[in-house]
Amino acid sequence: MALRPSEDALTALRDFVRRIHALDRTAPAVQELTLLVDGREERLALSEPVVKALVEALRVFHDPRDKGRCDYCGGPLDDNFLCRDCGAFSGVFGQLLAERAGDYTPPEELPPARG
């Protein structure tokens, strides 16, 4: 049976805390994280190593949908480095893509195959 997203998140967080705390079982709890999930309260004791690991994990996470920000207006970029807000190509790679696309000429069509 698949978990609901809220339960999956809680399970993942609980597993993360256990996994990191297991590396330094003598570290005392320095913070407590209280979560309310589907009307149920869950408290997780966090040692200093767990707090540091959680902060680092959250800071280094990069959503693959995030392609960066436009050099001109700061808007979000699409997969082709084209700004969704102002329509400009962003960065050196975006500019290169725009130039190559502008110079593109399709190849000549092949003659029909003889059969």
Side-chain angles (χ1 to χ4, degrees):
M1 179 171 99
L3 296 175
R4 292 193 314 262
S6 58
E7 292 171 337
D8 195 31
L10 179 58
T11 299
L13 188 54
R14 205 183 291 130
D15 291 347
F16 180 87
V17 169
R18 284 187 193 128
R19 190 173 69 247
I20 302 302
H21 184 68
L23 301 173
D24 190 358
R25 294 186 186 276
T26 61
V30 293
Q31 293 183 12
E32 182 177 82
L33 182 62
T34 304
L35 303 164
L36 185 61
V37 179
D38 296 332
R40 197 178 79 241
E41 190 173 283
E42 176 90 20
R43 295 173 187 258
L44 298 173
L46 308 178
S47 65
E48 189 65 31
V50 172
V51 170
K52 287 180 181 179
L54 183 57
V55 167
E56 181 67 18
L58 292 171
R59 285 189 177 147
V60 301
F61 173 77
H62 176 79
D63 190 316
R65 298 171 297 177
D66 182 1
K67 305 301 181 193
R69 296 283 168 202
C70 176
D71 294 336
Y72 305 103
C73 76
L77 300 177
D78 69 8
D79 290 339
N80 297 311
F81 299 96
L82 183 67
C83 179
R84 293 180 183 150
D85 288 348
C86 73
F89 281 99
S90 187
V92 174
F93 192 65
Q95 187 61 40
L96 180 64
L97 285 175
E99 289 172 8
R100 296 288 180 172
D103 292 340
Y104 178 76
T105 53
E108 293 181 28
E109 287 189 31
L110 297 174
R114 291 184 213 164

